[in-house]
Amino acid sequence: MDFTDVSLTSLRVFRAVAEQGTFTAAAEALGYTQSAVSRQIASIERAAGAELLERRRDGVRLTPAGHVVMRRAAVVLDEIDATARELSGLPEQAGTVRLGWFPSAGAVLLPRALAALRRTDPGLTVVGREGSTPALVRALRAGSLDLAVLASAPPFRPPDAESPPLALRTLTERALCLAVPAGHPLARGEFVDVADLRGQRWITGSGSGEDRLLGVWPGLDERPEIAHTARDWLAKLQLVAAGCGLTTVPASLAAAAPPGVRVLPVRGGPQEQRRLLLARLPHPPTEPVTRVAAALRAVAVALEADADANR
């Protein structure tokens, strides 16, 4: 089989696997069986005459040949999608930027930046999606995102070990905060002492392993009591408002806290810093990408100023 005979379906499946990181996750995203995904990948690798994905215990990684195919596949699939839009009579998406963000960035930063862009660049189209930081990094590498807003915690390592390194810019760096029910004894002061966090009930993420503990104060010297788990940040904050427990939040989420929630700093231990990063592949950005990045930076600076003013 010659590579020129590769089907669009195989290319779409290949991109999905590269983005999702596993065959299982790609199958779920596409609505395929895992065996169907495996067959499509086997087909495209036979046509390429090379292994395109390195199979590892923690998922898959693009090989050098896989990077070549992914770079070209992204262009082909984008052109096919643009053709479909044109044939259906939909307007051309000139100046489109594909943006990804991790969940809590979608609560305040993204809405404000997109609103600003609608005023300053009404012809610019921003499309994208929410995802975990690892998933967004894979999508950047796969060429299906132009920009991504990522979260980073100490020791602030690069988001992946691939080469070349991603181009990263820090938007903000602030201490992690705590969301507390307004009627909770800990909500009476202007900060929470870390010693008072022992014996509290926590609302955490709904992942597995370390991800499951997202929401518990880092370094807590006891086995935490997890009262509820929720994937969505708004759901977690609503559970806090209902008095169901405490959860950690980035400082930027203070503006999105619902009634019944106080967002407070924590003192008495090492500061738990969190960075908000803007990431892209290390090639010169297009003008639309530059404008979106500038809008995100401007809103991040404004949010920092508001937070400092309200302290």
Side-chain angles (χ1 to χ4, degrees):
M1 179 181 176
D2 188 88
F3 197 79
T4 57
D5 295 324
V6 167
S7 70
L8 288 175
T9 298
S10 291
L11 291 178
R12 292 190 190 280
V13 170
F14 176 62
R15 180 170 67 176
V17 173
E19 288 183 9
Q20 298 293 331
T22 68
F23 282 45
T24 301
E28 182 177 347
L30 294 168
Y32 290 0
T33 64
Q34 188 169 337
S35 61
V37 169
S38 297
R39 286 195 299 273
Q40 292 292 339
I41 296 301
S43 172
I44 198 171
E45 288 187 323
R46 281 197 304 273
E51 189 176 70
L52 304 180
L53 296 167
E54 176 189 351
R55 281 75 164 171
R56 306 188 307 171
R57 294 179 65 181
D58 59 347
V60 299
R61 177 182 291 179
L62 290 170
T63 65
H67 279 289
V68 171
V69 172
M70 192 67 258
R71 185 174 67 250
R72 300 294 188 182
V75 174
V76 170
L77 294 173
D78 286 347
E79 287 298 317
I80 290 295
D81 291 342
T83 301
R85 289 182 60 83
E86 188 173 344
L87 289 173
S88 66
L90 293 174
E92 183 182 355
Q93 289 185 333
T96 296
V97 176
R98 301 164 302 173
L99 176 65
W101 58 88
F102 74 98
S104 65
V108 179
L109 177 68
L110 261 296
R112 294 190 184 184
L114 294 179
L117 284 167
R118 283 197 299 273
R119 295 190 298 269
T120 61
D121 292 274
L124 185 63
T125 300
V126 179
V127 296
R129 62 180 182 272
E130 177 184 286
S132 67
T133 287
L136 295 174
V137 169
R138 289 193 297 267
L140 282 171
R141 293 290 186 189
S144 56
L145 288 179
D146 301 305
L147 277 176
V149 181
L150 310 178
S152 182
F156 300 123
R157 297 188 180 92
D160 70 359
E162 297 284 336
S163 184
L166 294 173
L168 301 173
R169 178 160 185 168
T170 299
L171 295 176
T172 63
E173 180 174 339
R174 296 189 70 83
L176 191 66
C177 293
L178 193 70
V180 183
H184 195 286
L186 293 180
R188 295 170 184 164
E190 295 305 311
F191 64 90
V192 175
D193 192 291
V194 70
D196 292 331
L197 296 181
R198 300 188 84 254
Q200 300 295 335
R201 303 173 78 234
W202 297 92
I203 300 163
T204 70
S206 58
S208 59
E210 291 185 3
D211 285 347
R212 186 170 178 268
L213 294 180
L214 289 176
V216 175
W217 189 258
L220 200 63
D221 60 348
E222 65 176 355
R223 184 182 180 89
E225 179 186 352
I226 299 174
H228 301 281
T229 61
R231 184 179 302 276
D232 180 72
W233 274 100
L234 180 58
K236 291 170 74 175
L237 290 175
Q238 291 290 355
L239 286 167
V240 173
C244 299
L246 316 180
T247 195
T248 58
V249 292
S252 60
L253 270 188
V261 175
R262 290 203 68 195
V263 176
L264 298 170
V266 177
R267 298 183 186 175
Q271 285 290 292
E272 285 291 334
Q273 297 297 113
R274 294 296 183 269
R275 285 180 185 169
L276 198 64
L277 302 176
L278 193 57
R280 60 174 174 80
L281 290 174
H283 51 60
T286 64
E287 181 59 27
V289 167
T290 299
R291 295 204 299 271
V292 172
L296 290 165
R297 289 196 297 271
V299 171
V301 169
L303 289 171
E304 286 273 275
D306 288 348
D308 290 338
N310 292 327
R311 269 202 253 180

